[in-house]
Every structure is written in structure tokens, then in C-alpha cells.
Amino acid sequence: MKKNLSVASMISLIIAAVLIVISIFIPWWGMKFFAPQYPEGLDIIVYPTTLDGDIEVVNGLNHYIGMKEFSNQSFPELAYMPYIVISFAVLTLLVAFLRKKSFLFGLIILYVIGGIVGLLDMYRWLKKFGTELDPKAPIDLDPFVPPIIGENTIANFVTNSYFTYGGYLLGIVFILMIFPLWKDRKK
């Protein structure tokens, strides 16, 4: 019974590791806000290391509904996320060069757990910001939880939440990680 991964599988994992590193530099998730006064939309763009977009404008608007301001300091994960991402890239390279199928299974399990934890963390923050509204805010609004993916309407704002290039890149990484399981399956 063959336990080693093929050269093609090793190459697939090396490409996955490179893509993991590249993902640090591109956004993973975003939210776009549309309203009559902002027909072009306002953006919140989330990289694994920082927030970008129309943060100050959105914070100014969120003040009216009693939502806490958010910034890079609001999300401590952004400080250590690059280390987690690089660790996954190093582990992926290690599995690629060791070429052991058992290590690959472990890597895939860790990757899936990391993805689930990341999504749960995103949900936690969305819930916290949407439900812990200041009752003394100028506009009284029922608590809400913006979706991780999809559309939501709050007052006259329609928000669209979506994964961006980095999120899709992480999906491709997963495919490159499971490719060796297909490639090196028993005949």
C-alpha cells in the first residue's frame, strides 16, 4: 500500500502554500452599503491584516443607530492573523516535502477547523456590533445580525456582504489540498 504522495501532489501543495502567502495581501471579505444618499455605495474591506474602505464614513453613520465604532484595534485577530496564515503556508510546504498522506489528512483537518473558527469569529463580531446598540442613540433600531454572505436591509441602507478575492483564493487552496487525495487514491 502506497503511503507517499506523488510529485504532482507535492506540486499541488507547493502551489497551495504560495497562494496562502499571496492571500495575506488581498482582501478576504467585504461589505457594501447602498442608500439613496450613497448610490455608489460605501465599502468595508477586510484584509487578514487590516480594515480598509470608507471606515470613517460608516462609523459616522453607525453612530446614529448606536453601533460602536470599529477600527483595526477593534479586532485583535488582525494583529496575529498573518502569523496564522504563514504557519498554514509553512505546514503546507512541510507536508508537500514530507509527502506523507497521513500528514496531508492532518493538514486538511486543521485547514477546515481554521476555516470554521474564522467564520464563527466573523459571525461573533457581526452579532456583537449589530446587537450591542446604544439605547440612547438618535435612531431607535431593533438589534440585528448582518449576514456573512448576502443582503440585509437596515433602515434605508441595503448591505451586501461577500467574500472577495482572498476568500476565493482560500477556496482554491482547499481544492489544491484535496487534489492529492484524488490523485493518489488507490487504483
Side-chain angles (χ1 to χ4, degrees), residues 24 46-51 71-86 121 125:
I24 291 176
V46 181
Y47 290 78
T49 57
T50 191
L51 299 176
S71 65
N72 287 332
Q73 292 72 34
S74 304
F75 304 99
E77 297 89 336
L78 295 176
Y80 58 80
M81 195 63 170
Y83 301 108
I84 293 172
V85 174
I86 293 297
D121 190 52
W125 282 114

Side-chain angles (χ1 to χ4, degrees), residues 20 23 28-29 77 81 84-85 88 106-124 148-149 163 166-171 173-174 177:
I20 291 170
S23 80
W28 287 10
W29 186 80
E77 297 89 336
M81 195 63 170
I84 293 172
V85 174
F88 266 108
L107 176 68
I108 291 170
I109 289 168
L110 278 175
Y111 193 77
V112 168
I113 290 170
I116 291 169
V117 168
L119 290 172
L120 289 173
D121 190 52
M122 281 180 62
Y123 178 79
R124 178 179 68 93
I148 292 175
I149 300 174
F163 288 109
Y168 296 131
L169 204 58
L170 295 175
V173 166
F174 181 70
M177 284 181 179

Side-chain angles (χ1 to χ4, degrees), residues 29 45 62-63 70 74 78 84 90 96 123 144 181 185-186:
W29 186 80
I45 303 164
N62 284 344
H63 160 76
F70 54 88
S74 304
L78 295 176
I84 293 172
V90 169
Y123 178 79
F144 63 97
L181 298 179
R185 69 192 182 283
K186 283 181 159 181

